[in-house]
Amino acid sequence: MEKDIVIIGGGPGGYVAAIRGAQLGGKVTLIEENALGGTCLNVGCIPTKALCKNAEVISTLKNIEEFGIKGIENYSIDVEKIQERKQNVIDQLVGGIHTVLSAYGVEILRGRGTILNKNLVKATLVTGEEREIPAKNIIIATGAKPTLPPIPGIHLNGVMTSNELLSFKEIPKRLAIIGGGVIGIEFAGIFNALGSEVTVFEFAPSILIKLDKDISKRLTTSLKKDGIKINTSTGVEEIKESNGSLVIVAKDKKGSIEVEVDQVLVSVGRTPVIEGLNLEGIGIELDRKRIQVNDRFETNVKGVYAIGDVNGGMMLAHEASHEGKSVAEIIMDAPVSEDRGVVPSCIFISPEISTVGITEEEAKEQGIDYKTSKFMFGANGKALSMGEPQGFVKVISTGENNRIIGVHIMGPHAADLIHEGALAIRNQLTADDIASTIHAHPTLGEAFVEAVMGLTNEAIHMVPSKR
């Protein structure tokens, strides 16, 4: 039977496209070689957030006397239990996705998909069986995998990507992390809390180079205060073995550095997964392994689409999901939201970081007349009562009419707070629109409205600026 949509890849882009396509009446087949949920659910967003919670609990225990609780200094860490809890979270979510897909009548095939032509996909199932599936439309949602740079020693035992490190059986005493991006910094926070001596090597002048500089500078200071060693403007030249340990050989502006560690995490980026799809055979255009698409996520081959990490976009799970929903609506001729420019991103470190819109540096580069305002969580009643006063909310607006164009948060529950900023930017709200909306007290959200009111020097709990 011909399908309206055949999807290769069951990650956050693929399974969302499958569900939305089926909701709109489409006959849908989803092909996934491994577990549903893809990288995000199985070896990415979800398991790391489960471990982040462990790190948060341990951090609370270390400072528990601040809350008037004594006598629990001799706690210990049960790695097996940590892994069991993490896997339970994953299994519950994977099972939920399977249930929803089945409820909508989506055919789920466990195996690899190969595109024979623009209207025919071959599924090689894990059982060895091969099936050919006629398709009106094909969506490629195969995601990405960790990049391994050409560093001598990169394949030594003990050198791993985030995929392998997530399944740790014991906590490394000394962990080196090559790459100071989101993945590297999240793992730095997790293993630092678990008790590892963590050293980060980043080639760029700062970690998290794309963040607003006010955030990245303050985070660097915070991480160093927690005992994480951070080497920026530093290139790793070699990994070698020495007396049962691994040695990172690196070079910074001052010269060579050698650091002895037990394990190495390589987190320098991700590469689209395109192997075995037969893209060259059907003439799909690539740019450095990224599938090229138009503004409707369609490749140069009509009826073949590519969504999520495989098209080399923002490489965020929620962006992949949005693209999956949009493509299903395009295929099924349903109304589609064309505005995809406002995408929040989050970093799950302590304190949390979230951002949406442009940074101050980008505003300067683009020649925008802008204003900025910051409100510190140390002046927020809810943050203080939680014992989490570190960080701030920074808001950027246009200079002429105070329209919100950027929001950057470092502090408690930053990832949950960023959506008000995303809504403000998406709907072109001004400082007055936010200020005239009553925010409940005592809440962390008050920090956002105070930062916004600071744009017009009307913040109540902030000393007025001397502009």
Side-chain angles (χ1 to χ4, degrees):
M1 183 200 310
E2 185 180 48
K3 298 286 185 173
D4 294 298
I5 310 173
V6 172
I7 302 165
I8 304 174
Y15 82 73
V16 169
I19 292 169
R20 186 61 181 140
Q23 285 176 340
L24 294 168
K27 297 180 179 67
V28 182
T29 292
L30 176 64
I31 305 169
E32 169 56 53
E33 183 179 14
N34 299 304
L36 290 172
T39 292
C40 174
L41 205 160
N42 295 281
V43 288
C45 324
I46 299 303
T48 53
K49 301 307 106 49
L51 295 179
C52 282
K53 182 61 181 181
N54 287 95
E56 179 188 334
V57 170
I58 291 169
S59 177
T60 299
L61 288 174
K62 288 178 180 177
N63 300 284
I64 199 70
E65 290 194 5
E66 289 182 18
F67 298 89
I69 300 170
K70 295 184 177 182
I72 58 170
E73 294 85 359
N74 296 322
Y75 67 85
S76 60
I77 296 173
D78 184 340
V79 172
E80 187 175 339
K81 185 65 177 177
I82 287 174
Q83 291 291 353
E84 180 185 336
R85 176 181 172 274
K86 181 198 77 176
Q87 194 59 47
N88 286 341
V89 172
I90 293 169
D91 292 344
Q92 183 173 339
L93 292 170
V94 170
I97 292 169
H98 195 285
T99 298
V100 176
L101 287 166
S102 298
Y104 277 107
V106 174
E107 180 184 37
I108 305 168
L109 299 180
R110 180 86 184 278
R112 292 182 63 86
T114 302
I115 305 172
L116 301 181
N117 62 52
K118 70 184 185 69
N119 294 117
L120 189 64
V121 175
K122 181 177 74 173
T124 304
L125 307 185
V126 293
T127 60
E129 178 191 355
E130 291 188 352
R131 286 180 53 184
E132 290 189 358
I133 309 163
K136 294 178 183 177
N137 299 276
I138 299 168
I139 300 176
I140 303 168
T142 45
K145 60 185 177 182
T147 300
L148 288 178
I151 298 172
I154 198 76
H155 297 293
L156 289 172
N157 288 334
V159 181
M160 60 193 75
T161 68
S162 56
N163 291 4
E164 296 84 44
L165 187 56
L166 276 168
S167 299
F168 66 96
K169 297 293 189 295
E170 58 183 34
I171 299 165
K173 183 179 178 182
R174 302 165 299 178
L175 175 67
I177 298 176
I178 302 175
V182 173
I183 295 172
I185 294 304
E186 286 190 353
F187 274 93
I190 289 167
F191 280 91
N192 177 66
L194 291 173
S196 299
E197 296 175 15
V198 179
T199 304
V200 177
F201 296 89
E202 171 54 53
F203 186 76
S206 70
I207 60 171
L208 301 165
I209 192 70
K210 293 181 180 180
L211 284 184
D212 188 279
K213 280 191 169 53
D214 278 347
I215 297 277
S216 60
K217 285 179 182 178
R218 188 173 287 257
L219 178 65
T220 301
T221 301
S222 174
L223 295 179
K224 287 181 177 178
K225 185 179 177 181
D226 288 340
I228 298 172
K229 300 182 181 71
I230 297 176
N231 300 283
T232 53
S233 298
T234 304
V236 174
E237 299 186 327
E238 182 185 3
I239 306 169
K240 60 185 182 181
E241 293 178 305
S242 177
N243 300 321
S245 298
L246 294 168
V247 177
I248 301 287
V249 181
K251 189 174 183 180
D252 63 9
K253 294 176 181 177
K254 297 179 181 178
S256 293
I257 304 170
E258 290 197 4
V259 178
E260 189 174 285
V261 298
D262 301 301
Q263 291 182 355
V264 179
L265 168 64
V266 181
S267 58
V268 296
R270 296 180 65 80
T271 303
V273 175
I274 57 173
E275 295 79 12
L277 292 172
N278 189 37
L279 301 183
E280 185 177 345
I282 64 169
I284 287 181
E285 294 176 357
L286 302 175
D287 176 16
R288 291 176 295 177
K289 294 191 175 183
R290 298 174 297 186
I291 298 178
Q292 295 297 284
V293 295
N294 61 20
D295 59 0
R296 291 165 63 86
F297 305 104
E298 191 172 24
T299 69
N300 61 298
V301 177
K302 186 173 177 56
V304 180
Y305 301 81
I307 60 173
D309 292 2
V310 78
N311 69 28
M314 295 191 72
M315 291 199 174
L316 295 169
H318 45 284
E319 172 66 11
S321 294
H322 188 78
E323 292 178 12
K325 178 176 179 290
S326 297
V327 168
E329 291 166 349
I330 289 168
I331 289 171
M332 299 305 296
D333 199 25
V336 184
S337 170
E338 296 296 334
D339 186 351
R340 296 184 288 267
V342 182
V343 183
S345 61
C346 309
I347 303 168
F348 294 88
I349 186 73
S350 181
E352 272 185 9
I353 291 170
S354 61
T355 180
V356 66
I358 67 173
T359 65
E360 184 172 355
E361 291 70 39
E362 289 170 333
K364 289 177 182 176
E365 289 170 5
Q366 295 173 28
I368 296 172
D369 176 28
Y370 71 93
K371 296 178 183 177
T372 68
S373 173
K374 281 193 291 188
F375 186 80
M376 311 305 289
F377 277 110
N380 175 267
K382 181 67 179 292
L384 282 170
S385 64
M386 292 168 61
E388 299 181 52
Q390 190 176 354
F392 57 88
V393 177
K394 178 176 179 177
V395 180
I396 304 170
S397 73
T398 55
E400 183 179 354
N401 60 7
N402 294 316
R403 179 171 58 84
I404 308 301
I405 56 175
V407 179
H408 310 278
I409 306 174
M410 174 181 174
H413 296 280
D416 301 310
L417 294 173
I418 196 61
H419 299 101
E420 187 174 3
L423 280 168
I425 297 171
R426 166 70 175 78
N427 292 286
Q428 300 188 9
L429 301 185
T430 66
D432 286 343
D433 293 324
I434 303 298
S436 61
T437 301
I438 298 174
H439 287 62
H441 173 79
T443 63
L444 298 172
E446 290 176 286
F448 176 69
V449 72
E450 289 272 10
V452 169
M453 291 168 68
L455 293 167
T456 55
N457 254 343
E458 296 175 355
I460 301 300
H461 298 94
M462 179 164 54
V463 175
S465 69
K466 297 180 180 179
R467 284 197 291 265

